Amino acid sequence: MSAKRLTISAFFMALVIILSSSLLSIPVPGGHFYFNGIIIFLVGLIFPPTEAVIIAGVGSFIGDFLFYPLPMWVTLVTHSLQVLAIALIVGGCLGKLSKSRAALGLLIGAIIDLVGYGLGRAFIYGTPAYAIMKIPFDIVAAILGLGVAYYIYFHTGFVKQFKKTWEGK
């Protein structure tokens, strides 16, 4: 891995960690509404599977470790599986990805996120009622995250610039 690729990956991991902070979140019943999901979905679309898992899965884990450690293991597993599924579905089609394939990957990633956190909260807090209380906010966060990532990928010049930087052209 080149220094440039490592730097770009580290930058995205830093974004995930920073956006995992409760200082940059909105308090909601049962926890906080975080904006890191936008970057997590985007990472799944633009990075190869192994790097996506390290950036989003480990980055989210570090963010939880620093800011709210109780669910950090749930976060590691959930976001790692989420971005792995997205990255495997989109298959490294950076810049050549069809909208339907991206939508499928993002939707599967959102389902993994919702199920993972639902089960994880029920286990950690010992009650399904706590997990159920946060589901509406998790759904909104998943829709916002996948929607913004989809918009950035297909309706801005981000992918063209990212590809140029990533490939060194």
Side-chain angles (χ1 to χ4, degrees):
M1 177 180 280
S2 70
K4 184 189 298 187
R5 282 182 71 153
L6 185 60
T7 302
I8 293 168
S9 298
F11 172 76
F12 275 89
M13 183 184 274
L15 286 175
V16 170
I17 293 168
I18 291 166
L19 292 175
S20 297
S21 165
S22 56
L23 298 173
L24 300 173
S25 66
I26 300 170
V28 297
H32 287 85
F33 182 89
Y34 296 98
F35 295 98
N36 65 345
I38 296 167
I39 303 300
I40 290 167
F41 281 108
L42 190 59
V43 163
L45 291 175
I46 63 175
F47 284 94
T50 303
E51 290 169 55
V53 168
I54 293 168
I55 293 165
V58 176
S60 297
F61 175 83
I62 293 168
D64 274 5
F65 176 78
L66 294 173
F67 303 112
Y68 186 63
L70 187 61
M72 65 188 185
W73 296 104
V74 171
T75 296
L76 174 66
V77 172
T78 300
H79 288 313
S80 293
L81 291 174
Q82 176 188 8
V83 296
L84 179 62
I86 296 168
L88 289 173
I89 290 168
V90 302
C93 297
L94 187 61
K96 297 175 255 167
L97 179 60
S98 72
K99 290 182 177 183
S100 60
R101 187 175 213 137
L104 175 65
L106 292 170
L107 182 60
I108 298 296
I111 291 168
I112 291 169
D113 183 49
L114 294 170
V115 171
Y117 271 107
L119 294 174
R121 277 192 197 94
F123 176 75
I124 287 174
Y125 299 108
T127 172
Y130 183 83
I132 292 168
M133 178 174 50
K134 189 123 188 283
I135 287 175
F137 301 103
D138 288 343
I139 291 171
V140 170
I143 292 169
L144 177 69
L146 73 86
V148 172
Y150 183 91
Y151 180 82
I152 290 169
Y153 191 93
F154 288 106
H155 300 288
T156 69
F158 172 80
V159 171
K160 182 179 178 183
Q161 289 301 314
F162 179 84
K163 189 174 180 178
K164 183 190 290 185
T165 303
W166 188 253
E167 294 174 352
K169 295 179 181 177

